[in-house]
Amino acid sequence: MENNLGNIMVIGACGQIGSELTTALRERYDEVKVIAADKCAPGGQDLFENGTYSSLNVLDRGGLKEEVEGHDIDTIFNLAAILSAKGEKNPQLAFEVNTVGAYNTLEIGRKLGVDKIIMPSSIAVFGPEVPKDDTPDEVYLKPRSMYGVTKVAGELLGYYYWDKYDLDVRELRLPGVISHKTLPGGGTTDYAVESFYSALTDGHYDFFVREDTRLPMMYMPDCVKSLIQLAEADPGSLHGRTNYNVGSMSFTAGELAREIGRHIDEFSYDFSPDYRQELADSWPNSVDDRSARTEWGWQPEYDLEKMVRDMLVNLERKLGDDVSVELNTQLA
Ligand code: AKB
């Protein structure tokens, strides 16, 4: 397909979202360079075999400049981030990677005249004061986690670079992202992914949040679609710019457990909230994403039922002999 993104660099390409976004971009556009950039070891993964890999730490501004210049990059997706739970264990590192990383990306974009920068923000920008249901884009932001603080800073920095330097920066607020290819690393919403692995390999999962914890979530195909749609959107229609809510599904930990249990009779579960409960409690139940829908055509495809089926089909295949339970429904 013809693209309006030119040569692309995905920073954080080894991560949960980066690994799938890189593959999707390479499949979507013919004859286009999609550089996978990260500081992970490029050993043997298809990500590195099917395109160029660039060893890069987003905190190394000189190295970033060299890579962006050397590959003649037009569009940067910066997905390098320390997520909420890990960020509370090491707030200083979260500040560096998330805020300095965003600043470096914007600065290099400005200096080298890059066309577009896309950076995910998060539902972690919200604090407990805002309406819990259908939380709007434009509300008072007082997050309680360092991750949330850095994401608010990222949104404001992005808006500043657009406003002052005419740099085409676009950001959306992702909810918890569920996927089967690459594990998430250190988020509060990781229980939603872990529960599938444990259900299949042990028949049991101990959720680290309360049963009634309701959070906005999204399945990876919708997440990848949202990032590409926002990147491809006509700049003239983008008024929100760096604070788009993107809703998809919203469910409690108990509802997720029961939906997995519909396919695995022997699945048992407990709820033992830990320090991550406080973070989950400070976030919305669901978001109002009307701006994303009207300004760039956002429309999710997966709901809880469809996502759970797809996760189980794919993980059963991936985990092979490690699966220790019987699936009681015909999934494929
Ligand atoms: C996290 O849990 O930290 C992330 C997020 C909601 O941005 N998944």
Side-chain angles (χ1 to χ4, degrees):
M1 153 160 192
E2 238 201 277
N3 89 99
N4 63 357
L5 305 185
N7 292 332
I8 301 168
M9 174 176 280
V10 178
I11 302 173
C14 297
Q16 185 200 14
I17 301 174
S19 57
E20 300 216 29
L21 177 68
T22 305
T23 305
L25 289 167
R26 285 179 179 160
E27 280 168 7
R28 185 170 176 81
Y29 306 123
D30 313 321
E31 309 291 321
V32 157
K33 261 203 274 187
V34 180
I35 312 295
D38 210 320
K39 54 188 183 57
C40 63
Q45 295 179 30
D46 57 352
L47 189 59
F48 310 110
E49 283 159 6
N50 298 330
T52 307
Y53 172 76
S54 172
S55 176
L56 179 73
N57 182 341
V58 73
L59 296 179
D60 170 13
R61 200 175 331 152
L64 179 59
K65 180 167 182 279
E66 243 170 61
E67 293 297 318
V68 171
E69 212 162 25
H71 291 290
D72 197 15
I73 295 299
D74 303 294
T75 297
I76 303 175
F77 288 84
N78 176 22
L79 305 178
I82 301 293
L83 299 183
S84 57
K86 192 169 167 193
E88 286 315 279
K89 296 283 179 204
N90 193 343
Q92 292 72 23
L93 179 69
F95 180 84
E96 286 279 322
V97 174
N98 302 354
T99 309
V100 179
Y103 174 72
N104 285 349
T105 307
L106 292 166
E107 262 302 277
I108 296 307
R110 177 185 74 83
K111 283 193 174 137
L112 298 182
V114 163
D115 287 346
K116 259 180 226 179
I117 294 181
I118 295 93
M119 299 197 287
S121 180
S122 162
I123 54 162
V125 295
F126 299 114
E129 309 58 26
V130 301
K132 276 270 180 208
D133 296 307
D134 295 328
T135 310
D137 295 318
E138 298 284 355
V139 281
Y140 173 68
L141 299 178
K142 196 173 180 185
R144 299 301 198 271
S145 65
M146 178 55 95
Y147 175 64
V149 169
T150 65
K151 286 296 173 185
V152 173
E155 289 186 4
L156 296 175
L157 279 170
Y159 194 87
Y160 183 90
Y161 273 71
W162 170 70
D163 189 35
K164 296 285 190 261
Y165 301 123
D166 214 15
L167 184 60
D168 189 348
V169 187
R170 305 168 180 209
E171 301 182 39
L172 42 66
R173 292 173 178 152
L174 291 175
V177 177
I178 299 168
S179 67
H180 53 80
K181 188 172 165 190
T182 308
L183 284 167
T188 301
T189 58
D190 288 11
Y191 65 84
V193 179
E194 287 174 9
S195 58
F196 285 94
Y197 281 84
S198 296
L200 286 164
T201 56
D202 301 333
H204 181 83
Y205 183 61
D206 201 3
F207 286 82
F208 55 73
V209 290
R210 282 190 321 270
E211 182 172 3
D212 65 354
T213 304
R214 179 179 293 283
L215 286 173
M217 299 276 180
M218 184 182 279
Y219 196 34
M220 184 58 87
D222 278 330
C223 173
V224 166
K225 184 171 89 169
S226 71
L227 287 161
I228 294 179
Q229 257 186 332
L230 177 61
E232 288 180 350
D234 171 5
S237 63
L238 300 178
H239 305 294
R241 274 278 146 200
T242 61
N243 68 350
Y244 289 109
N245 288 342
V246 279
S248 176
M249 54 187 109
S250 165
F251 50 78
T252 64
E255 285 164 355
L256 173 62
R258 287 187 286 282
E259 189 59 31
I260 296 173
R262 287 205 313 119
H263 302 284
I264 304 171
D265 287 337
E266 60 203 281
F267 181 43
S268 63
Y269 40 87
D270 289 316
F271 300 91
S272 313
D274 65 14
Y275 73 100
R276 291 167 279 195
Q277 184 68 54
E278 201 182 327
L279 297 173
D281 285 343
S282 71
W283 296 348
N285 295 334
S286 61
V287 293
D288 176 348
D289 60 0
R290 264 174 298 177
S291 304
R293 288 176 191 250
T294 53
E295 291 182 23
W296 46 275
W298 166 239
Q299 181 68 57
E301 198 187 312
Y302 286 83
D303 59 13
L304 174 62
E305 203 177 308
K306 197 168 165 194
M307 176 275 287
V308 167
R309 287 180 76 85
D310 203 65
M311 278 292 283
L312 291 174
V313 171
N314 282 289
L315 280 180
E316 194 191 16
R317 212 173 288 146
K318 174 176 168 179
L319 296 172
D321 290 346
D322 290 335
V323 174
S324 70
V325 294
E326 285 287 318
L327 286 153
N328 66 16
T329 41
Q330 204 56 38
L331 287 174

